[in-house]
Amino acid sequence: MHAVTVTPAPHSAPKPAHEWAVELVGIDKRFGPVHANKDVTLRFAPASIHGLVGENGAGKSTLMSILYGFYQADSGQILVRGREVAIKGSQDAIGLGIGMVHQHFMLVETFTVLENLLLGHEGGPLLAPAVARARKEVEALERTFGLEVPLDALVSDLPVGVQQRVEILKALYRGADVLILDEPTAVLSPPEVAQLFRILERLRAEGRTVVLITHKLKEIMAITDHVSVLRRGAVVAEFATAETNRQQLADAMVGRKANLEVEKAPAAAGPVLLAAEGVNVVDARGVTTLKNASLTVRAGEIVGVAGVAGNGQSELLEVLSGMLPFASGTLTIKGETLKAGSAYDPADARRRGLAHVPEDRLKLAVVKEFPAAQSAILGYHDDKPLGRGWRLDWKRVTAKTAELMERFDVRPRDPSLRTALFSGGNQQKLVMAREMEKEPDILLVGQPTRGVDIGAIAFIHKQLVGLRDRGKAILLVSAELDEIMALSDRILVMCDGEIVGELSAAEATESRIGSMMAGVSAGEEQ
Amino acid sequence: MSAGTGSDNLPWWATAVLLPVINVVLALIVSAIVILAIGEDPLGAMWTMVQGALGTSEGLGYTLYYATSLIFTALAVAVAFHGGLFNIGGEGQAYLGGLGVGLVCLAVGDMPWYLVLPLSVLGGAAFGGLWGAIPGYLQAYRGSHVVITTIMFNFIASSLMVYLMVNVLIRPGQMSPESAQFDKATFLPLVQDMAAAIGIQMNPSPLNFSLFLALAACVLVWAFIWHTRWGFALRTVGANENAARYAGIDPKKVIIIAMALSGALAGLLGVNEIHGVQHRLLLNFPAGMGFTGIAVALMGRNHPAGIVPAAILFGMLYQGGTELIFDYPSISRELVVVIQGVVILFAGALEHMFRPALVRLFTPKPAGV
């Protein structure tokens, strides 16, 4: 196993200080006993795209929050264009030409794009003159950077990709010279990602600096000039992107050889265990969010569902798991057919041998305030062996949790620790352990590795493949195309609430899935 | 990296004991300033209050009698709270609960008290529970917030009771709206009589057998919330309704059950007040105990082990306050209400004021910084 090589980035040769757009020198930050940033020194060159990678909790967000003024560093300096500055809040950061595009957009949905851009820059009691002035300036920006945005559309009517462009435009309108993007591609379809990258390249060409925080190494390789790797709060490696590769970056992130591939034998598919036929879901507003969904999942196979977030995958999972009623169609679970309106809820689903790892871990799968042992029995609190009669026996629950933690390597192994205090990966392992414990015949899995670090991803993938090999049926919903392609034996693609296509693992390529995911907009692309 | 050291992880005793004690001490200091401002001796006044509440067997009896009612209404708040519901309707539920108790006691004739007690408990719990379950249903199926509906139900309960007492239940040929008295055989034994039976002399007070019922309710509530599958479902709904849905727990059902249980507990105030003391139905017997129960529950951290001492403290304020008015002519009834209000303010509304400071004090400083 080769050790991680810490190659000095090529641009670290001595240069005049002002040749850096932003320098973070010796940044140190603690939160109580947690050492979030350890003596971090990073330099971002002007007219470049700098990647920042690291596992969850490696300190990327803390570092960028310090640069954007949300936190103050305990020690260290920040230099902007060679001059030392104090950034006490986001207003200071904006004043210094630092802009940030958050993972969750900070837009007023009921305002138009132009009104959003104007927020905080009204410049007087009357709106009309400001609007006219802003329109001119924004149109100039749009031309310069090739950012096309309908200025008079309501933000709520725009697709996420366009909303993100509004965020970028907002930062530029406020004079951002350095633009920080936090996981910008998490919500985008592949064509939208390509569009975003074209915009970032244009920004670079116009002399702006882009800092890209992501955990997708492929994106780092595709677009950045330099990349810094953080691990446990410290910079452990810096590379010129051209001189490194995904494996090297992954190894640096986890501090050991990382396994990027999923090893699995061809599927030996058995009888159909889960089937849906023409299932429709209508939400409270009367919108059909899942249209005429039909699918089958056989014993011993993993069926992947690809799609941009919000195209009906969540509804599909919720219908199949009994959380959401369906308006028409039928479900067939292990040969038993359920019609619309028949009593079917999550407790019933579990009794039938169907387990569900939901997409949104903190919202659905655990209770943050509970000790781990109580989150570990969520959904199974009526199981006979966990108590006597009405009573829950905490000794047995704790012993059971300790056993699950041991089997799924949940750290720290403390059933009495509050669930919120576990890292995302360890929470997810606990949820997987709980749902796989009973050897369910059918497992529904949503975003199994969202917010999970690389080491835990490999472990979770191995568990899923193991369950498949034991002859269970698995339906996998994921926003990560790589994950879908690595694990699935068949792939369904969803767009706009419909299952628009099915591919076998052999015929699936990223571009084929990508254009199906994008639906009609595939034609507009390029 | 996330060991058991969240930024707000205080040791349990700091949250459960230190914080309430700091709050009460501060409230007493503020009250002392108020007493000083009207020209009385604050230490003397405080001593009178403590003396009046605990110093005599009569005072102690009254203190515990008030505490009994407060334990019921505070447990009611706590049960709803763990289900994520803020039940402000304890007053109305207690009122209706008392009606249930009274109807049972009127109906049973001269049955002995130990046979009547289970029935009057059922009557109080059923009427109070129903009065809580209706807002619960409205919340679960109609989305009407319980905070709003329970307040409204307090008014409805009040009007309903006036109607019933004036037009239906009033003893014929009498001016004041009161029912006939229950049969003597049904009266709950007073603690002074129980003490006398084992040779302890106590001065008369309204403290009655309901105290033991209240303590039993504490144990049952504790076991229910933390040691049953239902309690687990209740706490899951309270902490994260979506996770409850995912877990196959029906939040609608849990909300209705939680409000029914909450109302039932508040309704047991009627056992203490109607079955134990008044021995007839009358108006306004909850006397604000339903509201004070909210403060008691807040101070007791919605846990029976905290509710009992908090209820006794408030019982002391009620009883000691009465003594204070007797002994200090310049101190009026209103000033006692001020003192009670200051304690509620510090113990309830401002309970987290000192929390950040305590967190700083208890967070281990990292070495080398």
Side-chain angles (χ1 to χ4, degrees):
Chain A
M1 224 10 296
H2 66 84
V4 172
T5 35
V6 180
T7 346
H11 55 61
S12 67
K15 280 184 183 182
H18 62 267
E19 294 227 344
W20 301 108
V22 170
E23 293 168 83
L24 297 160
V25 183
I27 298 290
D28 215 88
K29 178 73 184 172
R30 284 171 189 272
F31 296 101
V34 179
H35 205 163
N37 285 146
K38 293 176 200 163
D39 192 21
V40 172
T41 298
L42 282 177
R43 295 187 164 86
F44 305 134
S48 77
I49 301 179
H50 195 115
L52 198 55
V53 295
E55 296 191 280
N56 290 295
K60 303 176 302 239
S61 310
T62 307
L63 195 62
M64 289 303 112
S65 298
I66 288 171
L67 180 54
Y68 200 58
F70 286 146
Y71 300 133
Q72 309 298 308
D74 296 334
S75 62
Q77 299 168 291
I78 301 174
L79 289 83
V80 175
R81 288 176 289 277
R83 199 163 51 84
E84 189 175 345
V85 294
I87 302 177
K88 295 231 156 55
S90 55
Q91 286 303 324
D92 290 351
I94 292 167
L96 290 163
I98 298 168
M100 187 138 173
V101 175
H102 297 270
Q103 203 174 351
H104 304 284
F105 304 148
M106 309 277 182
L107 298 170
V108 183
E109 296 223 324
T110 51
F111 279 12
T112 66
V113 170
L114 199 59
E115 286 167 337
N116 266 287
L117 294 173
L118 206 58
L119 266 183
H121 288 255
E122 298 84 355
L126 290 178
L127 211 52
V131 170
R133 181 164 39 81
R135 185 182 298 277
K136 227 182 265 165
E137 289 171 15
V138 171
E139 278 169 354
L141 280 175
E142 282 189 289
R143 278 194 299 278
T144 315
F145 294 104
L147 276 160
E148 273 156 46
V149 173
L151 290 183
D152 296 307
L154 287 181
V155 166
S156 55
D157 294 340
L158 298 175
V160 269
V162 181
Q163 289 190 17
Q164 188 173 54
R165 267 178 262 161
V166 176
E167 281 279 15
I168 295 172
L169 199 56
K170 193 167 85 179
L172 294 173
Y173 179 59
R174 291 174 181 186
D177 188 44
V178 177
L179 195 67
I180 306 164
L181 295 116
D182 188 4
E183 299 280 357
T185 59
V187 291
L188 302 183
S189 69
E192 286 174 319
V193 171
Q195 275 178 332
L196 173 70
F197 283 4
R198 279 200 299 278
I199 292 166
L200 297 186
E201 280 163 1
R202 189 79 173 264
L203 286 167
R204 172 170 61 189
E206 295 290 331
R208 310 282 166 117
T209 305
V210 176
V211 179
L212 182 67
I213 303 175
T214 179
H215 65 272
K216 295 184 184 170
L217 299 176
K218 208 166 51 186
E219 293 171 3
I220 292 284
M221 296 311 297
I223 187 156
T224 62
D225 302 305
H226 309 284
V227 52
S228 304
V229 183
L230 263 73
R231 187 171 77 236
R232 292 185 189 174
V235 178
V236 290
E238 290 192 89
F239 303 102
T241 308
E243 292 167 13
T244 185
N245 57 54
R246 283 172 69 183
Q247 187 66 50
Q248 197 179 21
L249 287 172
D251 293 351
M253 277 165 73
V254 291
R256 58 188 152 81
K257 178 90 176 136
N259 190 0
L260 291 177
E261 301 303 320
V262 181
E263 288 166 26
K264 68 178 178 56
V272 173
L273 291 183
L274 175 69
E277 189 62 51
V279 170
N280 284 288
V281 171
V282 181
D283 71 6
R285 295 167 302 167
V287 178
T288 307
T289 48
L290 186 65
K291 292 172 199 159
N292 203 22
S294 299
L295 60 84
T296 56
V297 188
R298 293 169 180 280
E301 70 169 354
I302 299 180
V303 175
V305 178
V308 179
N311 276 276
Q313 307 95 308
S314 308
E315 286 79 4
L316 182 66
L317 276 183
E318 295 201 353
V319 155
L320 294 175
S321 65
M323 294 182 66
L324 209 60
F326 48 104
S328 59
T330 60
L331 294 184
T332 308
I333 296 165
K334 295 202 280 181
E336 249 184 274
T337 300
L338 299 160
K339 291 196 174 61
S342 56
Y344 176 57
D345 66 14
D348 192 33
R350 285 191 182 87
R351 279 193 291 273
R352 292 171 188 267
L354 182 145
H356 176 203
V357 177
E359 291 183 289
D360 195 329
R361 185 165 55 238
L362 291 177
K363 192 177 153 204
L364 296 179
V366 296
V367 179
K368 282 188 286 185
E369 296 83 356
F370 281 1
Q374 300 191 18
S375 280
I377 59 165
L378 195 65
Y380 299 91
H381 61 281
D382 278 333
D383 279 9
K384 291 272 172 309
L386 292 177
R388 270 187 218 108
W390 287 12
R391 262 187 59 211
L392 271 175
D393 185 337
W394 292 119
K395 271 208 195 97
R396 291 189 206 171
V397 171
T398 307
K400 181 96 220 166
T401 308
E403 189 191 313
L404 292 179
M405 287 178 146
E406 192 63 41
R407 287 229 324 257
F408 275 72
D409 190 29
V410 179
R411 284 179 237 181
R413 280 201 189 33
D414 182 357
S416 65
L417 188 63
R418 250 198 309 144
T419 310
L421 297 176
F422 287 86
S423 70
N426 283 305
Q427 290 171 350
Q428 186 70 349
K429 283 193 277 187
L430 187 64
V431 173
M432 298 287 296
R434 180 185 74 203
E435 298 304 321
M436 288 172 66
E437 157 70 9
K438 294 245 145 73
E439 284 286 309
D441 292 321
I442 306 160
L443 182 67
L444 310 174
V445 197
Q447 317 296 353
T449 56
R450 178 184 281 170
V452 169
D453 42 49
I454 287 190
I457 290 177
F459 180 85
I460 289 170
H461 285 173
K462 218 177 106 196
Q463 296 299 322
L464 288 173
V465 172
L467 190 70
R468 178 200 76 153
D469 292 344
R470 294 197 294 278
K472 311 301 184 185
I474 300 178
L475 185 76
L476 166 76
V477 168
S478 175
E480 306 281 342
L481 260 188
D482 290 345
E483 182 166 78
I484 295 270
M485 296 207 298
L487 288 173
S488 307
D489 302 308
R490 280 189 296 132
I491 297 169
L492 306 173
V493 185
M494 291 194 73
C495 178
D496 201 17
E498 269 179 285
I499 296 174
V500 292
E502 178 178 335
L503 296 166
S504 70
E507 55 190 356
T509 63
E510 193 167 328
S511 63
R512 272 188 85 171
I513 300 176
S515 55
M516 285 162 83
M517 273 164 77
V520 282
S521 70
E524 295 164 18
E525 206 222 336
Q526 308 307 335
Chain B
M1 62 150 233
S2 34
T5 44
S7 57
D8 62 344
N9 257 19
L10 285 175
W12 69 268
W13 56 268
T15 311
V17 181
L18 191 56
L19 212 50
V21 167
I22 292 177
N23 287 326
V24 169
V25 167
L26 207 70
L28 293 181
I29 290 174
V30 173
S31 307
I33 293 171
V34 175
I35 294 171
L36 203 62
I38 59 166
E40 290 290 351
D41 164 26
L43 283 179
M46 299 271 171
W47 181 242
T48 304
M49 281 185 80
V50 174
Q51 195 59 36
L54 304 176
T56 63
S57 60
E58 182 196 1
L60 185 65
Y62 270 96
T63 297
L64 292 178
Y65 151 69
Y66 292 128
T68 302
S69 285
L70 290 172
I71 287 172
F72 286 129
T73 53
L75 286 178
V77 174
V79 167
F81 176 86
H82 286 289
L85 300 157
F86 198 19
N87 178 13
I88 320 225
E91 189 79 3
Q93 291 144 17
Y95 216 167
L96 264 282
L99 175 67
V101 170
L103 293 178
V104 166
C105 291
L106 286 170
V108 293
D110 62 352
M111 223 192 253
W113 70 271
Y114 46 87
L115 292 181
V116 180
L117 182 61
L119 298 177
S120 81
V121 164
L122 271 180
F127 274 57
L130 179 71
W131 213 244
I134 299 168
Y137 170 83
L138 292 173
Q139 161 98 60
Y141 287 96
R142 291 283 173 268
S144 322
H145 204 285
V146 285
V147 168
I148 308 294
T149 47
T150 51
I151 290 176
M152 297 205 248
F153 268 64
N154 286 339
F155 287 100
I156 300 174
S158 182
S159 309
L160 180 67
M161 284 300 286
V162 170
Y163 169 78
L164 289 176
M165 292 312 302
V166 171
N167 298 296
V168 183
L169 294 168
I170 191 167
R171 192 175 58 171
Q174 183 187 256
M175 293 296 288
S176 64
E178 292 177 3
S179 75
Q181 203 180 49
F182 311 150
D183 191 281
K184 276 221 159 49
T186 65
F187 291 7
L188 287 184
L190 294 171
V191 169
Q192 74 215 34
D193 299 334
M194 295 161 74
I198 55 168
I200 301 171
Q201 198 60 42
M202 278 182 82
N203 289 330
S205 73
L207 184 62
N208 61 72
F209 190 80
S210 307
L211 174 68
F212 305 107
L213 192 65
L215 295 176
C218 285
V219 176
L220 287 177
V221 165
W222 169 78
F224 167 74
I225 293 179
W226 284 282
H227 291 274
T228 65
R229 301 175 197 267
W230 279 19
F232 182 80
L234 175 80
R235 288 186 295 123
T236 304
V237 171
N240 184 341
E241 202 173 308
N242 288 310
R245 258 185 343 109
Y246 160 76
I249 300 163
D250 183 356
K252 291 182 176 29
K253 234 161 71 185
V254 170
I255 285 171
I256 296 175
I257 293 174
M259 283 304 292
L261 280 175
S262 177
L265 282 162
L268 295 185
L269 177 141
V271 176
N272 184 33
E273 202 58 51
I274 298 297
H275 192 182
V277 179
Q278 304 291 350
H279 306 138
R280 66 211 143 105
L281 269 172
L282 67 175
L283 289 177
N284 298 325
F285 58 85
M289 291 287 175
F291 294 116
T292 312
I294 298 168
V296 172
L298 271 175
M299 192 171 174
R301 297 289 182 278
N302 291 297
H303 192 291
I307 284 172
V308 171
I312 293 173
L313 176 78
F314 275 83
M316 285 171 64
L317 287 173
Y318 272 83
Q319 169 56 18
T322 316
E323 292 291 322
L324 194 60
I325 301 165
F326 276 128
D327 286 13
Y328 288 75
S330 57
I331 293 180
S332 64
R333 174 85 226 154
E334 283 65 39
L335 190 75
V336 173
V337 176
V338 168
I339 295 174
Q340 289 168 358
V342 169
V343 172
I344 292 175
L345 183 70
F346 278 92
L350 298 179
E351 73 158 295
H352 290 306
M353 192 164 64
F354 293 101
R355 205 182 170 89
L358 276 189
V359 169
R360 270 197 299 281
L361 207 66
F362 279 99
T363 307
K365 287 194 180 60
V369 173

